[in-house]
Amino acid sequence: LEEDLGVALFTRSAKGMQLTREGAALLEHAEAILTQAEELKRAARALSEDVAGELRLALHTDPEFLRVLPLLKLLRTTHPNLVVHLRQSMSRVIMDDVRDERLDGGFAYSTTPPEGDLSGLRVAATELYVVGPAAWRERLAGKGWDELAEEPWVWFSDSSPYNPLLARCLGPRARTVRKAAVTDYEETLRTLVKNGTGLSLMRQDEALRCETAGEVCVWGGSGQLLDIYFLHRRDREPDPAIRAVLAALRGIWGLTGNGCA
């Protein structure tokens, strides 16, 4: 490299090498070139190599809602050598695990688009309804958020994306709500509400299904919107496996660009 550039990059001694003034001045350019070369290699592999290996993904809600079966079927058809491992977890944990590379990607609820070292494809939005035990239908009829704050609740952990929504609706009363139980697991939440523990939030489709089955009642007030993202590390965007999953998700959900259809 010194011969090609015509400058001395290092001073050499028995103790080792040190950058010259010219070498230090060119170091940032050299590092940028190496980074671009590595990105070019990854992009070339994504275009030319068969997508193979193992992919670790996490789900934050039930697989049917997330269209996981069509996703797996499409990936098996287009990339038969790609093995997908699925884990069930919570949105905040999934975000941390993707960021720390314990996962390759995962679905999560979020009230804001991912930023920093995380990137995400917004696959859908869901409306969250306030639900209570089926026997509470008349008890909740006509009540507003102030009255709901007086009822016992099946609450969520501090890291749950549900909390900012409830804080906005309940205002200062959110800090004094009677928390009959705290859980981030939807199945546990559903069981507790069904058996009379208290109010909670439930995904629209699940709330209506449970109401039809006579398990819960849906409060008549407005629902709260929450986005659903498929998350991955921003620096993994050129990865062939990540690109394959994103392409499959766009097809299954009918998405265009970076957002929802």
Side-chain angles (χ1 to χ4, degrees), residues 18-251:
Q18 288 186 327
L19 284 171
T20 62
R21 180 172 58 85
E22 294 82 0
L26 294 172
L27 177 61
E28 184 176 345
H29 296 288
E31 290 176 337
I33 290 170
L34 290 173
T35 299
Q36 291 172 353
E38 187 60 33
E39 291 175 354
L40 178 62
K41 290 179 183 178
R42 287 198 296 264
R45 285 197 296 269
L47 293 173
S48 62
E49 292 182 356
D50 177 39
V51 180
E54 297 186 346
L55 197 64
R56 303 159 299 168
L57 305 180
L59 315 177
H60 73 300
T61 190
D62 67 88
E64 185 176 359
F65 179 78
L66 294 175
R67 306 184 186 181
V68 171
L69 291 180
L71 173 64
L72 294 178
K73 182 177 180 180
L74 182 55
L75 289 175
R76 283 197 304 269
T77 301
T78 54
H79 305 292
N81 294 320
L82 182 64
V83 179
V84 179
H85 296 261
L86 297 176
R87 181 192 307 174
Q88 200 79 26
S89 190
M90 296 174 290
S91 293
R92 176 55 58 185
V93 176
I94 291 172
M95 290 180 185
D96 292 340
D97 285 347
V98 171
R99 183 178 287 111
D100 296 336
E101 300 185 270
R102 290 184 289 270
L103 288 170
D104 299 302
F107 296 90
Y109 289 130
S110 182
T111 55
T112 58
E115 55 185 10
D117 51 1
L118 288 183
S119 182
L121 176 68
R122 180 176 174 269
V123 297
T126 186
E127 197 168 4
L128 300 177
Y129 285 174
V130 174
V131 296
W136 290 17
R137 185 176 303 277
E138 292 185 7
R139 174 173 167 176
L140 300 179
K143 287 191 173 182
W145 283 105
D146 286 346
E147 290 88 356
L148 295 184
E150 301 298 327
E151 300 287 351
W153 281 76
V154 178
W155 206 251
F156 315 96
S157 70
D158 292 341
S159 62
S160 170
Y162 287 14
N163 278 349
L165 299 178
L166 285 172
R168 185 168 67 240
C169 296
L170 294 170
R173 289 177 173 270
R175 295 192 295 269
T176 59
V177 161
R178 286 183 290 155
K179 301 173 184 177
V182 177
T183 181
D184 288 323
Y185 290 98
E186 292 175 337
E187 186 175 351
T188 303
L189 181 155
R190 185 166 54 248
T191 300
L192 291 174
V193 172
K194 175 183 174 181
N195 286 278
T197 304
L199 304 179
S200 198
L201 291 180
M202 192 176 290
R203 208 177 60 232
Q204 179 188 33
D205 61 304
E206 187 72 3
L208 296 178
R209 184 190 67 78
C210 290
E211 184 176 49
T212 301
E215 298 175 349
V216 305
C217 68
V218 175
W219 174 61
S222 60
Q224 302 298 311
L225 287 176
L226 191 60
D227 289 328
I228 299 172
Y229 286 88
F230 177 79
L231 303 172
H232 58 86
R233 282 183 60 92
R234 196 173 300 277
D235 58 9
R236 292 283 305 275
E237 287 179 356
D239 187 293
I242 296 297
R243 291 178 59 177
V245 173
L246 293 175
L249 288 171
R250 288 190 177 98

